[in-house]
Amino acid sequence: MAPALKVFGPARSTNVARVLVCLEEVGAEYELVDIDFAAREQKSPDHLKRNPFGQIPAFQDGDLLLFESRAIGKYILRKYKTSDADLLREGDLAEAAMVDVWTEVEAHQYNPALSPVVYECVIYPAIHGTPTNQRVVDESLEKLRKGLEVHEARLWESASLAGDFASFADLNHFPYTFYFMATPHAPLFDEYPHVKAWWERLMARPAIKKLAARMALLN
Amino acid sequence: MAPMKVYGWLVSPWMAKVLLCLEEAGVDYQVVPLSLSDGDHRRPEHLARNPFGQIPVLEDGDLTLYQSHAIARYILGKHKPELLGLGEGGGVEESAMVDMWLEVEPHQYEAAMKPIVWHCIVHQHVGLDRDQAVVDECVRKLKRVLEVYEARLSSAAGSGSPGPSRYIAGGGRVSLADLSHLPLMHYFAATEYAGVLDAYPRVRAWWEALRARPSVKKVMAAMPTDFGFGSGSSP
């Protein structure tokens, strides 16, 4: 019998990976359904029913259809939470609040600084064959340095971003950072030893190792 | 119990999101006004609260929080979980719908609407040019986004519920997902592009109904639509 949980989107996509990390962490069975970007399948009527903005990922659990990778991730971690996999910490208001703070930081501070480097160095050259826009990369790296200083200071205080426990906030940093580490700018993280150590701990998690291996194959 | 403290300036849409939550939750709070033009947000005492040097910041006893959606979730999780699709009558599915539209708001709606507001209202007062090409592109994007919202608000509220949805997360009741859209809409409705809403009657009705809420009236009353620049009371 096919799994009830379906994720729609290409396996190599960062935001699809964001959802897959959560599924792997809770050990849920799921089916990954490819969306063919070359054929503009993301804009097809069938896909627009799942995601009216015509983007990926989309997600299905029985009758429930969701989009927006962070909302999907939260749903999975909430519904399929186990005693071993409590990555939202909703039993404790203060802990849950710190998970939310650092999840928002990833979305609104970290990602806007880091993802342009990934797009310019990895994604656009692969899809469009365009040369890297060095000005965009340089401006982004400067913003990223400032953000990494904050992460470094935080990770002096605790092993993970929300506290001394791994959480959704840490997981959210994985997909784009993974591809950043495939750019020539990866050594930047060496300048922030607590961030580097935190990243290595993240990469050692079984769920992340499994996904990283799959994503590396696709490159 | 000491009231919660919120640091920031009242004209900020992100500050307003937090104040709306506090008002809806009916809890005591104290606003600590900061000055943007004096650079209060870059001073060491504020960087100690928020290392990114931004507002709003919430202090609740020993807990200091930043990022408006994280603060909003904390306040409502503690005092009014129904507004998150949790608590009484809520659950994983309803909260997922609230979370989904809470993501759509910054990534689609704000991304299109904020530059229009900033270029049309703010820039002239802070020595920046209005870039009409940016405004035109954002208006185009906003129309596509509002089409999705119009369709959403036109469809059934949820299983067993007849008629269109009054609320964006569809649970038949108001949520943070609705409230988070209001502050920026308040400013957008004061730009020359307000008429864009005419083509989206359900979106307009949704906005009109929400702005009639007592919490919304109270918070918006402190937000002059010129950000205070006209009266010399800008932050």
Side-chain angles (χ1 to χ4, degrees):
Chain A
M1 183 159 123
L5 304 186
K6 290 192 164 86
V7 182
F8 297 87
R12 68 181 176 282
S13 149
T14 42
N15 290 314
V16 170
R18 199 189 290 280
V19 171
L20 301 186
V21 162
C22 295
L23 287 164
E24 293 289 344
E25 286 281 343
V26 298
E29 270 194 33
Y30 62 93
E31 186 189 341
L32 182 58
V33 179
D34 188 38
I35 295 292
D36 184 353
F37 267 57
R40 280 183 67 81
E41 192 183 350
Q42 73 276 21
K43 306 294 182 193
S44 69
D46 276 348
H47 191 72
L48 289 172
K49 285 195 192 100
R50 303 174 195 119
N51 182 335
F53 293 99
Q55 293 177 334
I56 52 91
F59 173 79
Q60 185 169 11
D61 183 354
D63 286 334
L64 180 68
L65 283 172
L66 293 176
F67 59 94
E68 286 297 335
S69 56
R70 290 174 188 84
I72 298 169
K74 263 208 152 113
Y75 168 80
I76 290 163
L77 293 178
R78 196 173 269 153
K79 183 170 178 185
Y80 296 102
K81 171 186 136 177
T82 65
S83 50
D84 291 327
D86 177 10
L87 293 151
L88 293 176
R89 312 297 282 216
E90 290 181 324
D92 181 309
L93 274 173
E95 287 183 356
M98 295 315 293
V99 174
D100 283 340
V101 166
W102 285 94
T103 294
E104 293 294 306
V105 165
E106 186 273 330
H108 299 297
Q109 314 282 358
Y110 183 86
N111 207 322
L114 181 142
S115 64
V117 180
V118 171
Y119 281 104
E120 287 298 332
C121 296
V122 176
I123 299 179
Y124 295 154
I127 299 182
H128 306 301
T130 47
T132 299
N133 183 330
Q134 200 53 46
R135 189 184 51 81
V136 168
V137 170
D138 291 341
E139 281 171 8
S140 298
L141 288 173
E142 204 183 301
K143 281 195 240 175
L144 181 58
R145 284 203 146 84
K146 297 208 171 93
L148 286 174
E149 275 168 30
V150 178
H151 281 66
E152 180 71 10
R154 173 62 182 170
L155 291 163
W156 266 95
E157 294 171 355
S158 59
S160 299
L161 291 170
D164 283 320
F165 50 86
S167 78
F168 184 51
D170 306 291
L171 301 183
N172 273 308
H173 284 72
F174 163 67
Y176 278 95
T177 308
F178 176 76
Y179 285 122
F180 181 88
M181 294 310 188
T183 72
H185 304 286
L188 177 64
F189 275 64
D190 296 339
E191 298 174 32
Y192 305 93
H194 287 80
V195 176
K196 183 80 193 280
W198 160 81
W199 173 250
E200 281 165 359
R201 286 195 294 280
L202 202 56
M203 287 296 284
R205 294 178 74 80
I208 294 208
K209 274 206 308 218
K210 181 177 173 187
L211 269 176
R214 200 193 295 174
M215 286 157 80
L217 280 177
L218 295 166
N219 285 336
Chain B
M1 187 103 170
M4 296 192 193
K5 283 188 188 165
V6 192
Y7 296 80
W9 34 88
L10 296 175
V11 291
S12 154
W14 302 279
M15 179 83 169
K17 287 187 195 189
V18 169
L19 299 181
L20 282 173
C21 291
L22 289 164
E23 289 291 334
E24 288 282 337
V27 297
D28 271 342
Y29 66 95
Q30 180 196 343
V31 170
V32 181
L34 297 183
S35 167
L36 168 61
S37 49
D38 286 349
D40 285 349
H41 54 311
R42 303 252 177 252
R43 293 183 201 285
E45 55 262 45
H46 191 71
L47 291 172
R49 297 175 201 120
N50 180 349
F52 293 99
Q54 293 178 333
I55 62 95
V57 168
L58 181 88
E59 271 176 7
D60 184 15
D62 286 337
L63 192 61
T64 301
L65 302 176
Y66 51 91
Q67 298 294 150
S68 61
H69 282 198
I71 297 172
R73 286 178 184 280
Y74 172 74
I75 293 163
L76 296 177
K78 192 173 182 184
H79 295 289
K80 199 108 182 179
E82 308 87 82
L83 286 172
L84 294 173
L86 297 166
E88 193 74 30
V92 273
E93 294 202 0
E94 190 181 337
S95 63
M97 302 307 289
V98 174
D99 287 342
M100 190 168 84
W101 289 95
L102 269 171
E103 292 294 315
V104 171
E105 189 265 315
H107 295 304
Q108 308 284 357
Y109 172 93
E110 181 190 305
M113 191 179 271
K114 187 206 167 204
I116 299 169
V117 170
W118 252 248
H119 281 259
C120 292
I121 303 182
V122 178
H123 278 204
Q124 62 192 290
H125 298 294
V126 298
L128 289 173
D129 287 333
R130 166 173 164 158
D131 185 337
Q132 193 57 42
V134 168
V135 173
D136 290 343
E137 177 57 25
C138 285
V139 170
R140 267 190 296 273
K141 277 198 320 204
L142 181 62
K143 286 177 177 173
R144 286 198 298 268
V145 169
L146 292 178
E147 267 168 38
V148 174
Y149 278 68
E150 186 74 10
R152 171 66 185 170
L153 291 163
S154 303
S155 63
S159 56
S161 249
S165 185
R166 292 173 61 207
Y167 302 115
I168 199 70
R173 56 186 182 174
V174 73
S175 75
L176 177 61
D178 301 288
L179 299 176
S180 71
H181 289 78
L182 304 181
L184 209 53
M185 181 66 91
H186 168 75
Y187 289 115
F188 177 78
T191 69
E192 69 215 64
Y193 294 96
V196 162
L197 293 175
D198 293 344
Y200 309 98
R202 294 223 182 272
V203 174
R204 182 180 277 293
W206 169 65
W207 155 238
E208 297 290 346
L210 289 164
R211 75 198 286 225
R213 295 178 76 84
S215 65
V216 180
K217 281 194 194 161
K218 182 175 174 188
V219 171
M220 304 294 174
M223 296 165 68
T225 53
D226 66 354
F227 287 85
F229 286 108
S231 55
S233 63
S234 63

